Amino acid sequence: MVADLRPDGHTDWRAYEPVRLPPILAASLDAFDEHGYHGTTVRDIARRVGVTVPALYYHYQNKQALLVELLLGSMNAVLGRCRSAVEEAGPDPVERFSALVECIVLYMANRAPMAFLDTETRSLEPDNRARYIAMRDELEALVQTSVRDAVARGDFTTPYPVDAGRAVLTMAQAVANWYRPYGRLTPQEIAGRYVEIALAAVGHRTKD
């Protein structure tokens, strides 16, 4: 699996280089983004790469395998960065929560086309969908644990910690739907704003 699809494919969880994917995966990502999974054919992907269909099948068993590589690889990558963010933040749950929101928003902006593929979860076959959802649940658990721990310490005052955590995660992931690289704000500026919004959503109580 290429570096951009590995959980350890980064040295700094805040830093991003231009996406690096093998030609077949890059063409698949573009085609899925333009036409959706069901609207894309293997022949179209092969044409974009400049290879024959049999040559493409030599590398990937079928179109589902391409979607799996991209979807699970993308989730692998964001989970790996989030684990690094949590480790760097240390034991303080507010710091962990803030780092997670920042990390997720940065990923959704810097890897928007890959992150947007989450909408194709419905196109995964049952076993593949179960694997993907398990990884997505792990990401939610990281956020929910930080919220729960902060509530227990009195740092967050929301009376609905589970709902608030889920709302924050949904808000952060939605950045992939609208982010454009030519916009007014950089990914880091967007992430900073979202951390502030997220802290307000969970009722962050600042210490005197």
Side-chain angles (χ1 to χ4, degrees):
M1 186 176 288
V2 296
D4 282 344
L5 299 180
R6 291 204 324 260
D8 58 350
H10 62 276
T11 54
D12 177 354
W13 62 266
R14 289 186 174 92
Y16 285 85
E17 299 294 334
V19 67
R20 299 159 297 169
L21 293 175
I24 292 175
L25 287 182
S28 300
L29 179 61
D30 289 343
F32 294 156
D33 186 46
E34 291 173 20
H35 304 297
Y37 176 76
H38 292 294
T40 298
T41 65
V42 172
R43 187 174 300 280
D44 177 33
I45 296 170
R47 178 186 57 78
R48 290 169 183 255
V49 183
V51 299
T52 64
V53 171
L56 190 149
Y57 281 139
Y58 177 80
H59 296 280
Y60 294 94
Q61 183 178 13
N62 50 36
K63 187 172 69 167
Q64 179 76 186
L66 293 165
L67 182 63
V68 167
E69 188 83 358
L70 288 168
L71 264 178
L72 272 66
S74 179
M75 187 56 71
N76 254 322
V78 69
L79 272 173
R81 286 177 181 265
C82 284
R83 293 183 194 120
S84 297
V86 167
E87 182 178 358
E88 180 184 297
D92 186 292
V94 177
E95 294 297 325
R96 280 190 278 126
F97 175 81
S98 298
L100 281 166
V101 173
E102 179 184 359
C103 185
I104 294 167
V105 171
L106 285 176
Y107 187 84
M108 296 301 144
N110 284 287
R111 296 291 185 261
M114 283 200 292
F116 185 70
L117 269 187
D118 184 76
T119 58
E120 292 291 356
T121 303
R122 63 186 182 277
S123 300
L124 290 171
E125 295 171 358
D127 287 348
N128 294 328
R129 187 181 304 118
R131 291 167 59 201
Y132 183 76
I133 290 174
M135 297 168 71
R136 196 164 62 183
D137 288 346
E138 181 183 345
L139 182 61
E140 180 174 353
L142 289 173
V143 175
Q144 294 288 14
T145 298
S146 65
V147 175
R148 184 173 61 250
D149 291 350
V151 169
R153 289 197 347 170
D155 294 327
F156 292 170
T157 61
T158 175
Y160 313 110
V162 173
D163 295 325
R166 188 176 296 119
V168 166
L169 180 59
T170 301
M171 173 188 74
Q173 290 175 315
V175 170
N177 298 339
W178 58 261
Y179 174 77
R180 298 295 181 272
Y182 47 78
R184 182 171 58 87
L185 298 176
T186 66
Q188 192 62 59
E189 289 170 331
I190 296 169
R193 291 188 179 190
Y194 269 59
V195 170
E196 291 186 25
I197 295 168
L199 287 170
V202 293
H204 179 226
R205 176 180 293 166
T206 57
K207 297 178 180 178
D208 296 332

